[in-house]
Amino acid sequence: MPKFYMVDDSGAGKYHSNRKRNLILGGICAVLAGLCVGILIGRYGICPGQSEPESTPEKDGVFLPGIPETIIKDGDPEIGKQLIDAVDNTKIEEYLRLLTLKPHVAGSQNNLDLGNWIKDKWMEWGFDDVKLTPYDVLLSFPDANNPNVVRVLNETGGIVYESPLKEANLTGEDDPDALPPYNAYSPAGLVEGDMVYVNYGRVEDYDWLEKNASMNVTGKIVIVRYGKIFRGSKVQIAADHGATGVIIFSDPADYTWNGDPRVYPETWWLPGSGSQRGTIYTGDGDPLTPGYAAIKTAYRYPENASEVGLPEIPAHPIGYDIAEKILREMGGEEAPLDWRGGLNITYRLGPALEKTGWKIQMNISTRNQIKTAYNVIGVIRGQIEPDRYVMMGNHRDAWVYGAIDPSSGTAVMMETARVTGQLVKSGKWRPRRSIMFCSWGAEEYGLLGSTEWVEQYQKNLRERAVAYVNVDISMQGNDTIRALGTPLLYRATYEAAKKVPNPNPAERAAGRTTAYDTWLHNYPWKDEDGNSRNVPVIASPGSGSDYAQLLHKAGVTAVDFRYTYNANKYKVASYPLYHSVYETFYAVKNIIDKEFEYHRAISRMAAELVRSLADSLIIPFNVSDYSWALDRYRKALDRNYGDTLKTKLPNYDDLREVIANFSTEVEAFNDRVANMNRNDPMAIRAVNDQLTLLEKAFLDNEGLPDRSQKKHLLLAESSTDSYAGSSFPGLVDLLFEIEKAPDVDARWERVKRHFSVILFTIDSAASTLRDVIKFIPEN
Amino acid sequence: MPKFYMVDDSGAGKYHSNRKRNLILGGICAVLAGLCVGILIGRYGICPGQSEPESTPEKDGVFLPGIPETIIKDGDPEIGKQLIDAVDNTKIEEYLRLLTLKPHVAGSQNNLDLGNWIKDKWMEWGFDDVKLTPYDVLLSFPDANNPNVVRVLNETGGIVYESPLKEANLTGEDDPDALPPYNAYSPAGLVEGDMVYVNYGRVEDYDWLEKNASMNVTGKIVIVRYGKIFRGSKVQIAADHGATGVIIFSDPADYTWNGDPRVYPETWWLPGSGSQRGTIYTGDGDPLTPGYAAIKTAYRYPENASEVGLPEIPAHPIGYDIAEKILREMGGEEAPLDWRGGLNITYRLGPALEKTGWKIQMNISTRNQIKTAYNVIGVIRGQIEPDRYVMMGNHRDAWVYGAIDPSSGTAVMMETARVTGQLVKSGKWRPRRSIMFCSWGAEEYGLLGSTEWVEQYQKNLRERAVAYVNVDISMQGNDTIRALGTPLLYRATYEAAKKVPNPNPAERAAGRTTAYDTWLHNYPWKDEDGNSRNVPVIASPGSGSDYAQLLHKAGVTAVDFRYTYNANKYKVASYPLYHSVYETFYAVKNIIDKEFEYHRAISRMAAELVRSLADSLIIPFNVSDYSWALDRYRKALDRNYGDTLKTKLPNYDDLREVIANFSTEVEAFNDRVANMNRNDPMAIRAVNDQLTLLEKAFLDNEGLPDRSQKKHLLLAESSTDSYAGSSFPGLVDLLFEIEKAPDVDARWERVKRHFSVILFTIDSAASTLRDVIKFIPEN
């Protein structure tokens, strides 16, 4: 520019005015000419792309006006740090206090109020959509005018002992809305007579009784202790054995600490009046609408239809104070050593009470009732792929105050939602995929809220849902992380835990700076051959919380995690206050997590895991871990049943072969992903679709043998107690049955068929990983 | 540019040499300066994109190096014209001749040879992948050493008449591999005795017999004529009524023309020895592996298992020459007027033959046998979305030469594959999505090849398959196009037909220049209220060919079309030579389509339809047509059953309401698509995913009542004959049963339940069309 004026100045004076004008004009022309050429060069010579793309598209490329570059860019890990830093333990405490102010059982106004509060908060934090979803589901409530009781009657029918109508008020647990202890879906009824003690009420306990004491329970009430198996199974097994009613008590051996007299509110040990509520329905979802959402237009079976499968005999839970009184009156032989718990009595089997003419009475008036349960579903719209959902959820309904189950999880979910929503609202960031937060209703009754919702939207979810992170109980101790999850999520879960500062000062002092370090230290994972994997254990997900329906009905890869107590030290059946009225804010704030450090750790882990799933260019699923897991399942099967299977299944070796083929496809898939063109948004989408499809490919339409609603062939829990930790649950169930079945041939046909279905399913999963136009193997 | 030199020239002479140099330098500097500025302006001012995209991504955009601009560009209709022009009728003739040289029944070496020929051709034409897929399926064959016969025996057991062991050799149909007439899956057996004539063998025919002639068929052979319902149903209904065997004959009334003596090889009318082969299996897919692919590791039920459902009584087809002889011997009452066909006899009901002691004998030795059936699957890789499949297919197996069924379709598919493949191979074009051509094996036995393949890969297909175009019989006359299809494909099918020059000279002369014009003229569609829609009829797809499994198991939107005869003029049960040995190249070349003009029209239509589905930016599915179709189904239901349903279903009006809601969602969806950002490849993909998901959303996991393998709630044929043309087939089936069922209450519960499932499914389909983050309606 300066030189231009120099040219102009070089001719000076009036004499040269004409010439000067020419010079100025010429200079302007020169500059303009240069400008024109320059623009042309700049636009078409240097500017990337767009010139004649038809002729040589590969060399050029395409410009997409208005589209952010994040369409082909990986998520920024820095965002994860910001989220982790933003997680605030005082907020979690604030949410937990609010969530636990009142009892909020499913179907109650209190629980709906909390749902609306959550909706308001999510909208305030910048969510793009929040909806409440009503489902009219069959719930079950005790009759306030006719309380449930268990009694010891004397020979004249006089009441000697009676179970208390509610738990003792120790720290103000006397809200009029608090429901007394009961077992949901117990049929109403008055039953009387002898009583038999059957330990934990497992099949093997009845077998022992029959073989060693020549006793059966037909026509009798049974009393069993909580623990080992699902309480609904205890009732079903008792009914299958002809019992007329079931009393379930919490034994001090399973819910206190070596006779430590200090119980709640001094410690977290269960006090003597504490009683564990809980459903005894063994199905999932609204009992009257199996397979379909309980919406206005739904068909509802009558309650007594075989499709409904409600419990057949009355059941009632009691605490150990009254249990001790009742069991002290028992007659009959002494119970074997391992049936004796922590009560200060001689454990006897029954059936008669010691005193002649005395008997047990159960008077149960619990009634089923259709009420509306609400989920709250909130969405943060994804920037690039709004139709892909990364989900986090927990239920909201609690048996009473629910400070641990579920509100410790809900408080954590709220804080995760807050930090995520507010970062989006600030305009600094928006995740690639949509993030969906879910507050489920009526989980306690049998995963009703999540089941109905998944049933209603399973077509959308099967196509669009990427992963589901469940945090139900977020904190039940300060020892370590504990996780259940699918193999695809192992690595992403570890990576998230590695970013979480260790909340335990002693652990930090021991040099374990992250939550992951303690997890790995306390739960190192060995493979079937005993070799260390140098990662912490993640167990297979069963049906214990809302992830079950996402996984089984929609094939959504899922994980569930929490902070937990030292299970090696404390041999309790669960955290002691589980489902009692004493799950209070007081318990959390004064006993278990005073500073909410452990809550915070789980919120941080969830925030980072959800971010990485929602924001990574390639979804961070590790398909190799599925190869490893399949091989582990096979080895466990081999160890437990291999000899039998080899003789009965001529094609038993095919299992090894299909798993080896699967592993080969996994490696080829990983190679393709490593070498793919990351400038191609469609190629990225296609790979992510393959990653998301894999879990769904392990579903089978027919479901497990005799459990058609369980569609995932690998990751359901086995319905037997004898084979925890491994998989092929349908096969294991059938083999377990065979061990005592007479008509062995027909049962072996079922094994053969289900074995083929497993082979087929692993093969079909492998086909989803192949090159999308070459998914048919060479024959 | 010139002005620059003008400036330089304006100072002249030696005196001014220094000044001149300054001027020159200055000018150069000016030009350079202008150039620099220009380059900067050109590069960053005008050039689209990339400068600091982090800060203002929405305003800028993104450049994707190496990605073709077709990622956001619609397909070029000019390509369709090129494909249509390239379709060559002489090639089709060449393929048909080759395909019909030898008999090629499923499982035969001849049929495998054709499969390999197809594979070679496809590879030659530039396909990216071609595979043969073997399935070991249960087939059924007559025993060459012990031929099937139907006999009239006299009182001493002497043979009076015997059905011929094969059809007459009229134009050289004497290949040793030609199988004689038989009904596949007939059980072997020798049955003898009386015989009853039951017209078409429908339920209403047996009802008539019982009511008006007080006759039942228990323990008797029945003789029925072909037509009206599927032959497998004829056998099943006969078995249900207690018959011991079924003879099925082709009556001249249904297979010739008003007694025209000129039959094949003079005309296309069935000659007297012609006999219709065909399966009598009523299931779909390999009978021994229901629900799973018949691969090496599959579990196979024993043939007599209830899950298999093979026919229970022997059946055999005969031509009208021998039928006339047999029926002339019948005794008993005269058959009613509308039971009388075209034989030159008095039709009598039986049961006894006229002559004392004479009887009918069936000696059937057909045997089931596991053989390998092969599909050929060829893929042209899509340029942008290789993981989305547009499919075209037809079966390859034929009962004998199969010149019409299926080779007229295969020849057309080959030509469509040739023109498509070669255009891709030329480098001028590659479709956006992958195109998959499928030559199915063992369709004739019950859609075995397509079923097993869909079962094996249904997880891939449910996610990736966009649409399926079936051309089985491509040409069975020269009157007009006839189509079956799903509502989503109505418009795309019309558009393709509009581009096809009318192959009929008389029609062209009448001003109908395209195949579409004649179709619209001959089959105008009126809605339920009698209003013209100004489009031709497309019927609902039943289970008549391989589209059934794609639609029912994988939810793939499908269409099937052909050129056909004038069905108003010729009241035949099918084209007359159907499944006889006379489906020869001779018949096509000399009688039906001498110049292969009608074949060519169908190939052109298929090529353009496949192209538009594979190459359009937005998949050309018309969701509004589903609104219209649902409303039509509802009105038809209302007309037929409305009065009853209103009294029995308190929520009957909900059907209208959910359909109205569906229509509202359709309109909102269309608005969103009209206003979407077409520069965003992910938005395009998301909309296409929604379009593809819609058909799948009409599937129900449980399937139709008593037909669990039929998953599409709207588009299965009803299993009754009384309600053709409308839909809600499961509901109609149940209502049809109720009309004569005693236990009405339980049946009405099933109606209520299935009605709710329909409401649920329409609602859930609507949810797939909503904004992907707002699929939960306001409550």
Coordinates of all heavy atoms in Angstrom, one line a residue, chain A residues 3 10-11 19 26 29 47 62 64 131-132 292 297 299 301 381 389 459 685 697 699-700 749 753 756 771-772 776 778-779, chain B residues 3 7 10-11 19 29 47 62 64 131-132 292 297 299 301 381 389 459 697 699-700 749 753 756 771-772 776 778-779:
Chain A
K3 N 3.7 1.8 -1.1 CA 4.3 2.0 -2.4 C 3.4 2.6 -3.4 O 3.9 3.3 -4.3 CB 4.9 0.7 -2.9 CG 6.1 0.2 -2.1 CD 6.7 -1.0 -2.8 CE 8.0 -1.3 -2.0 NZ 8.7 -2.4 -2.5
S10 N 5.8 10.5 -7.0 CA 7.0 10.6 -7.8 C 6.9 11.6 -8.9 O 7.8 12.2 -9.4 CB 7.5 9.2 -8.3 OG 6.5 8.7 -9.2
G11 N 5.7 11.8 -9.4 CA 5.4 12.9 -10.3 C 4.8 14.0 -9.6 O 3.7 13.9 -9.0
R19 N -0.5 14.2 -16.4 CA 0.3 13.0 -16.3 C 0.1 12.4 -14.9 O 0.0 11.1 -14.8 CB 1.8 13.4 -16.4 CG 2.7 12.2 -16.4 CD 4.2 12.6 -16.5 NE 5.0 11.4 -16.4 CZ 5.5 10.9 -17.5 NH1 5.4 11.4 -18.7 NH2 6.3 9.8 -17.3
G26 N -3.6 5.1 -13.4 CA -2.9 3.9 -13.7 C -2.6 3.0 -12.4 O -2.7 1.8 -12.4
C29 N -5.6 1.4 -11.3 CA -5.9 0.3 -12.2 C -5.0 -0.9 -11.8 O -5.4 -2.1 -11.8 CB -5.6 0.7 -13.6 SG -6.9 1.8 -14.2
C47 N -8.0 -21.4 -1.9 CA -9.1 -21.8 -1.2 C -9.4 -23.3 -1.3 O -9.4 -23.8 -2.4 CB -10.4 -21.1 -1.7 SG -11.9 -21.8 -1.0
V62 N -15.8 -31.7 -0.1 CA -17.0 -31.0 -0.1 C -17.1 -30.0 1.0 O -16.6 -30.2 2.1 CB -18.2 -32.0 -0.1 CG1 -18.3 -32.7 1.3 CG2 -19.6 -31.2 -0.3
L64 N -19.6 -27.9 3.5 CA -20.9 -28.0 4.0 C -21.2 -26.7 4.7 O -20.8 -26.5 5.9 CB -21.1 -29.2 4.9 CG -20.8 -30.5 4.4 CD1 -21.0 -31.6 5.5 CD2 -21.6 -30.9 3.2
K131 N -40.4 -34.4 29.8 CA -41.8 -34.9 29.8 C -42.0 -35.8 31.0 O -41.1 -36.6 31.3 CB -42.1 -35.7 28.5 CG -42.0 -34.8 27.2 CD -43.3 -34.3 26.8 CE -43.2 -33.4 25.6 NZ -42.5 -34.0 24.5
L132 N -43.2 -35.8 31.5 CA -43.6 -36.8 32.5 C -44.5 -37.8 31.7 O -45.3 -37.4 30.9 CB -44.5 -36.2 33.6 CG -43.8 -35.8 34.9 CD1 -42.8 -34.7 34.7 CD2 -44.7 -35.5 36.0
Y292 N -46.6 -55.1 26.8 CA -47.1 -53.8 26.2 C -47.2 -52.7 27.3 O -47.3 -53.0 28.5 CB -48.4 -54.1 25.6 CG -48.3 -55.0 24.5 CD1 -48.5 -56.4 24.7 CD2 -48.0 -54.6 23.2 CE1 -48.4 -57.3 23.7 CE2 -47.9 -55.5 22.1 CZ -48.1 -56.9 22.4 OH -47.9 -57.8 21.4
T297 N -54.9 -47.1 26.2 CA -55.6 -48.1 25.4 C -55.2 -49.5 25.6 O -55.6 -50.4 24.9 CB -55.3 -47.7 23.9 OG1 -53.8 -47.8 23.7 CG2 -55.8 -46.4 23.5
Y299 N -54.7 -53.4 26.8 CA -55.5 -54.5 27.3 C -54.9 -54.9 28.7 O -53.7 -55.1 28.8 CB -55.5 -55.6 26.3 CG -56.2 -56.8 26.8 CD1 -57.6 -56.9 26.7 CD2 -55.6 -57.9 27.5 CE1 -58.3 -58.0 27.1 CE2 -56.3 -59.0 27.9 CZ -57.6 -59.0 27.8 OH -58.3 -60.1 28.2
Y301 N -55.1 -57.9 31.5 CA -55.5 -59.2 31.9 C -56.2 -59.1 33.3 O -55.8 -58.2 34.1 CB -54.3 -60.1 32.0 CG -53.8 -60.6 30.7 CD1 -52.6 -60.1 30.2 CD2 -54.5 -61.6 30.0 CE1 -52.1 -60.6 29.0 CE2 -54.0 -62.1 28.8 CZ -52.8 -61.6 28.3 OH -52.3 -62.0 27.1
R381 N -30.4 -31.9 23.7 CA -30.3 -32.3 22.3 C -28.9 -32.3 21.8 O -28.1 -31.4 22.1 CB -31.0 -31.2 21.4 CG -31.0 -31.4 19.9 CD -31.6 -30.3 19.1 NE -33.1 -30.4 19.0 CZ -33.7 -31.1 18.1 NH1 -33.0 -31.7 17.1 NH2 -35.0 -31.1 18.1
Y389 N -29.1 -41.6 21.4 CA -29.3 -41.2 22.8 C -28.3 -41.9 23.7 O -28.2 -43.1 23.7 CB -30.7 -41.7 23.3 CG -31.8 -41.3 22.3 CD1 -32.9 -42.2 22.2 CD2 -31.9 -40.1 21.6 CE1 -34.0 -41.9 21.3 CE2 -32.9 -39.8 20.8 CZ -34.0 -40.7 20.6 OH -35.0 -40.4 19.8
K459 N -39.2 -49.5 19.8 CA -38.8 -49.4 18.4 C -37.8 -48.2 18.3 O -36.8 -48.3 17.6 CB -40.0 -49.3 17.5 CG -40.7 -50.6 17.4 CD -42.1 -50.5 17.1 CE -42.8 -51.9 17.2 NZ -44.2 -51.9 17.2
R685 N -20.7 -42.6 11.2 CA -22.1 -43.0 11.6 C -22.3 -44.5 11.4 O -22.8 -45.2 12.3 CB -23.1 -42.2 10.8 CG -24.5 -42.6 11.0 CD -25.2 -41.9 12.2 NE -26.7 -42.1 12.1 CZ -27.6 -41.4 12.7 NH1 -27.2 -40.4 13.4 NH2 -28.8 -41.6 12.6
A697 N -27.6 -57.5 18.9 CA -27.5 -58.8 18.2 C -27.5 -60.0 19.1 O -27.7 -61.1 18.7 CB -26.3 -58.8 17.3
L699 N -29.6 -60.3 21.5 CA -31.0 -60.6 21.9 C -31.6 -61.7 21.0 O -31.2 -61.8 19.8 CB -31.9 -59.3 21.7 CG -31.5 -58.1 22.4 CD1 -32.7 -57.1 22.4 CD2 -31.1 -58.3 23.9
D700 N -32.5 -62.4 21.6 CA -33.2 -63.5 20.8 C -34.7 -63.2 21.0 O -35.1 -63.0 22.1 CB -32.8 -64.8 21.3 CG -33.6 -65.9 20.6 OD1 -33.4 -66.1 19.4 OD2 -34.4 -66.6 21.3
E749 N -33.4 -82.4 24.9 CA -33.8 -81.7 23.6 C -33.9 -80.2 23.7 O -33.4 -79.5 22.8 CB -35.1 -82.3 23.1 CG -35.1 -83.7 22.4 CD -34.0 -83.7 21.3 OE1 -34.1 -83.0 20.3 OE2 -33.1 -84.6 21.5
R753 N -31.6 -77.6 21.7 CA -32.2 -76.5 21.0 C -31.6 -75.1 21.4 O -31.2 -74.3 20.6 CB -33.7 -76.5 21.1 CG -34.4 -75.4 20.4 CD -35.7 -75.7 19.9 NE -36.2 -74.7 18.9 CZ -36.7 -73.5 19.3 NH1 -37.0 -73.3 20.6 NH2 -37.0 -72.6 18.4
S756 N -28.2 -74.5 20.3 CA -28.1 -74.1 18.9 C -28.5 -72.6 18.8 O -27.9 -71.9 18.0 CB -29.1 -74.9 18.1 OG -28.6 -76.1 17.8
D771 N -17.8 -56.1 7.4 CA -17.9 -55.1 6.4 C -19.4 -55.1 6.0 O -20.0 -56.1 5.7 CB -17.1 -55.5 5.2 CG -17.2 -54.5 4.0 OD1 -18.3 -53.9 3.8 OD2 -16.2 -54.3 3.3
V772 N -20.0 -53.9 5.9 CA -21.5 -53.9 5.8 C -22.0 -54.4 4.5 O -23.2 -54.8 4.4 CB -22.0 -52.4 5.9 CG1 -21.8 -52.0 7.4 CG2 -21.3 -51.5 5.0
I776 N -22.0 -61.7 4.7 CA -22.2 -63.1 4.5 C -20.8 -63.8 4.3 O -20.0 -63.4 3.5 CB -23.0 -63.4 3.2 CG1 -24.3 -62.7 3.3 CG2 -23.1 -64.9 2.9 CD1 -25.1 -62.7 2.0
E778 N -17.8 -66.4 3.5 CA -17.5 -67.3 2.4 C -17.9 -68.7 2.9 O -17.7 -69.1 4.0 CB -16.0 -67.4 2.1 CG -15.4 -66.1 1.7 CD -15.9 -65.6 0.3 OE1 -16.4 -66.4 -0.5 OE2 -15.8 -64.4 0.1
N779 N -18.6 -69.5 2.0 CA -18.9 -70.8 2.4 C -18.0 -71.9 1.8 O -17.2 -71.6 1.0 CB -20.4 -71.1 2.1 CG -20.6 -71.0 0.6 OD1 -20.2 -71.9 -0.1 ND2 -21.3 -70.0 0.1
Chain B
K3 N -4.3 -1.7 -18.3 CA -4.1 -0.5 -17.7 C -2.8 -0.4 -17.0 O -2.2 0.7 -16.8 CB -5.3 -0.1 -16.8 CG -6.5 0.2 -17.5 CD -7.6 0.8 -16.6 CE -8.8 1.2 -17.5 NZ -9.9 1.7 -16.7
V7 N 0.1 2.7 -17.6 CA 0.8 3.5 -16.6 C 2.3 3.5 -16.8 O 2.9 4.5 -16.9 CB 0.5 2.9 -15.1 CG1 1.4 3.6 -14.1 CG2 -0.9 3.2 -14.8
S10 N 3.2 5.6 -19.8 CA 2.9 7.0 -19.8 C 4.1 7.9 -19.5 O 4.2 9.1 -19.8 CB 1.8 7.3 -18.7 OG 2.3 7.0 -17.5
G11 N 5.1 7.4 -18.8 CA 6.4 8.1 -18.7 C 7.3 7.5 -19.7 O 7.6 6.3 -19.7
R19 N 13.2 7.8 -13.2 CA 11.8 7.9 -12.9 C 11.0 6.7 -13.4 O 10.1 6.2 -12.7 CB 11.3 9.2 -13.5 CG 9.9 9.5 -13.1 CD 9.4 10.8 -13.8 NE 8.0 11.0 -13.4 CZ 7.7 11.9 -12.5 NH1 8.5 12.6 -11.8 NH2 6.4 12.0 -12.2
C29 N 5.0 -3.0 -7.6 CA 4.6 -3.0 -6.2 C 3.1 -2.9 -6.1 O 2.5 -3.6 -5.3 CB 5.3 -1.9 -5.4 SG 7.0 -2.2 -5.2
C47 N -13.9 -17.0 0.0 CA -13.8 -18.4 0.1 C -14.7 -18.9 1.2 O -14.6 -18.4 2.3 CB -12.3 -18.9 0.4 SG -12.2 -20.6 0.8
V62 N -18.1 -26.5 7.3 CA -16.9 -27.4 7.4 C -16.6 -27.9 6.0 O -17.4 -28.1 5.2 CB -17.3 -28.5 8.4 CG1 -18.4 -29.4 7.8 CG2 -16.0 -29.4 8.7
L64 N -14.8 -31.0 4.1 CA -14.5 -32.4 4.3 C -13.6 -32.9 3.1 O -14.1 -33.2 2.1 CB -15.8 -33.3 4.3 CG -16.9 -32.9 5.4 CD1 -18.1 -33.8 5.2 CD2 -16.3 -32.9 6.8
K131 N -22.2 -63.6 -3.1 CA -22.0 -64.8 -2.3 C -23.2 -65.8 -2.5 O -24.3 -65.4 -2.7 CB -22.0 -64.5 -0.8 CG -20.8 -63.6 -0.4 CD -19.7 -64.3 0.2 CE -18.5 -63.5 0.5 NZ -18.8 -62.3 1.3
L132 N -22.8 -67.1 -2.5 CA -23.8 -68.1 -2.4 C -24.0 -68.5 -1.0 O -23.1 -68.7 -0.3 CB -23.4 -69.3 -3.3 CG -24.0 -69.4 -4.7 CD1 -23.4 -68.3 -5.5 CD2 -23.8 -70.8 -5.3
Y292 N -35.4 -69.9 13.0 CA -33.9 -69.8 12.9 C -33.4 -70.3 11.6 O -34.1 -71.1 11.0 CB -33.3 -70.6 14.1 CG -33.7 -70.0 15.4 CD1 -34.8 -70.5 16.1 CD2 -32.9 -69.0 16.0 CE1 -35.2 -69.9 17.3 CE2 -33.3 -68.4 17.2 CZ -34.5 -68.9 17.8 OH -34.9 -68.3 19.0
T297 N -25.2 -75.4 12.4 CA -25.4 -75.5 13.8 C -26.8 -75.5 14.3 O -27.1 -75.5 15.5 CB -24.6 -74.4 14.6 OG1 -25.2 -73.1 14.1 CG2 -23.1 -74.4 14.3
Y299 N -30.7 -76.3 15.3 CA -31.4 -77.4 15.9 C -32.6 -77.7 15.0 O -33.3 -76.9 14.5 CB -32.0 -77.0 17.3 CG -32.9 -78.1 17.9 CD1 -32.3 -79.1 18.6 CD2 -34.2 -78.0 17.7 CE1 -33.1 -80.1 19.1 CE2 -35.1 -79.0 18.3 CZ -34.5 -80.0 19.0 OH -35.3 -81.0 19.5
Y301 N -36.1 -79.8 14.5 CA -37.1 -80.6 15.2 C -37.3 -81.9 14.4 O -37.1 -81.9 13.2 CB -38.4 -79.8 15.1 CG -38.5 -78.7 16.2 CD1 -38.4 -77.4 15.8 CD2 -38.8 -79.0 17.5 CE1 -38.5 -76.4 16.7 CE2 -38.9 -78.0 18.4 CZ -38.7 -76.7 18.0 OH -38.8 -75.7 19.0
R381 N -21.7 -51.7 -4.0 CA -21.5 -50.9 -2.9 C -22.0 -49.4 -3.1 O -21.7 -48.8 -4.1 CB -20.0 -50.9 -2.6 CG -19.6 -50.0 -1.4 CD -18.1 -49.9 -1.2 NE -17.6 -51.1 -0.5 CZ -17.5 -51.2 0.9 NH1 -17.9 -50.2 1.6 NH2 -17.0 -52.3 1.4
Y389 N -29.3 -50.7 2.4 CA -29.5 -51.6 1.3 C -30.8 -51.4 0.6 O -31.9 -51.4 1.3 CB -29.5 -53.0 1.8 CG -28.3 -53.4 2.7 CD1 -28.5 -54.3 3.8 CD2 -27.0 -52.9 2.6 CE1 -27.5 -54.6 4.6 CE2 -26.0 -53.2 3.4 CZ -26.3 -54.1 4.5 OH -25.3 -54.5 5.3
K459 N -31.0 -59.2 12.1 CA -30.6 -58.0 12.8 C -29.9 -57.0 11.9 O -30.2 -55.8 12.1 CB -29.6 -58.5 13.9 CG -30.4 -59.1 15.1 CD -29.6 -60.2 15.8 CE -30.5 -61.0 16.7 NZ -29.9 -62.2 17.3
A697 N -41.9 -50.3 12.5 CA -42.7 -50.0 13.7 C -44.1 -50.6 13.7 O -44.8 -50.7 14.7 CB -42.9 -48.5 13.9
L699 N -44.5 -53.7 13.0 CA -44.3 -55.1 13.4 C -44.6 -55.2 14.9 O -44.4 -54.3 15.7 CB -42.8 -55.6 13.2 CG -42.2 -55.5 11.8 CD1 -40.9 -56.3 11.8 CD2 -43.1 -56.0 10.8
D700 N -45.1 -56.4 15.3 CA -45.3 -56.7 16.7 C -44.6 -58.0 17.0 O -44.7 -59.0 16.3 CB -46.8 -56.9 16.9 CG -47.1 -57.3 18.4 OD1 -46.8 -56.5 19.3 OD2 -47.6 -58.4 18.6
E749 N -62.3 -61.8 24.3 CA -61.2 -61.3 25.1 C -60.0 -61.2 24.2 O -59.2 -60.3 24.2 CB -60.9 -62.2 26.3 CG -61.8 -61.9 27.5 CD -61.8 -60.5 27.9 OE1 -60.8 -59.9 28.3 OE2 -63.0 -59.9 27.9
R753 N -57.9 -57.9 23.2 CA -56.5 -57.8 23.4 C -55.8 -57.4 22.1 O -54.9 -56.5 22.0 CB -55.9 -59.1 23.9 CG -54.4 -59.1 24.1 CD -53.9 -60.0 25.2 NE -52.5 -59.6 25.5 CZ -51.5 -60.2 24.8 NH1 -51.7 -61.1 23.8 NH2 -50.3 -59.8 25.0
S756 N -56.2 -53.8 21.2 CA -55.3 -53.0 21.9 C -53.9 -53.0 21.3 O -53.2 -52.0 21.3 CB -55.2 -53.4 23.4 OG -56.4 -53.0 24.1
D771 N -40.2 -35.6 16.2 CA -38.9 -35.0 16.5 C -38.2 -36.0 17.3 O -38.7 -36.5 18.4 CB -39.1 -33.7 17.2 CG -37.8 -33.0 17.5 OD1 -36.8 -33.7 17.7 OD2 -37.7 -31.8 17.5
V772 N -36.9 -36.3 16.9 CA -36.2 -37.5 17.6 C -36.0 -37.2 19.1 O -35.8 -38.2 19.8 CB -34.9 -37.8 16.9 CG1 -35.2 -38.4 15.5 CG2 -34.0 -36.6 16.8
I776 N -42.0 -38.3 23.0 CA -43.0 -38.6 24.0 C -44.1 -37.5 23.9 O -43.7 -36.3 24.0 CB -42.4 -38.6 25.4 CG1 -41.3 -39.6 25.5 CG2 -43.5 -38.7 26.5 CD1 -40.5 -39.5 26.8
E778 N -47.1 -34.9 24.8 CA -47.5 -34.2 26.0 C -48.7 -35.0 26.6 O -49.5 -35.5 25.8 CB -48.1 -32.8 25.6 CG -47.1 -31.8 25.0 CD -45.9 -31.4 25.9 OE1 -46.0 -31.5 27.1 OE2 -44.9 -31.1 25.3
N779 N -48.7 -35.1 27.9 CA -49.8 -35.9 28.5 C -50.8 -34.9 29.1 O -50.5 -33.7 29.3 CB -49.3 -36.9 29.4 CG -48.6 -36.3 30.6 OD1 -49.1 -35.6 31.4 ND2 -47.2 -36.5 30.6

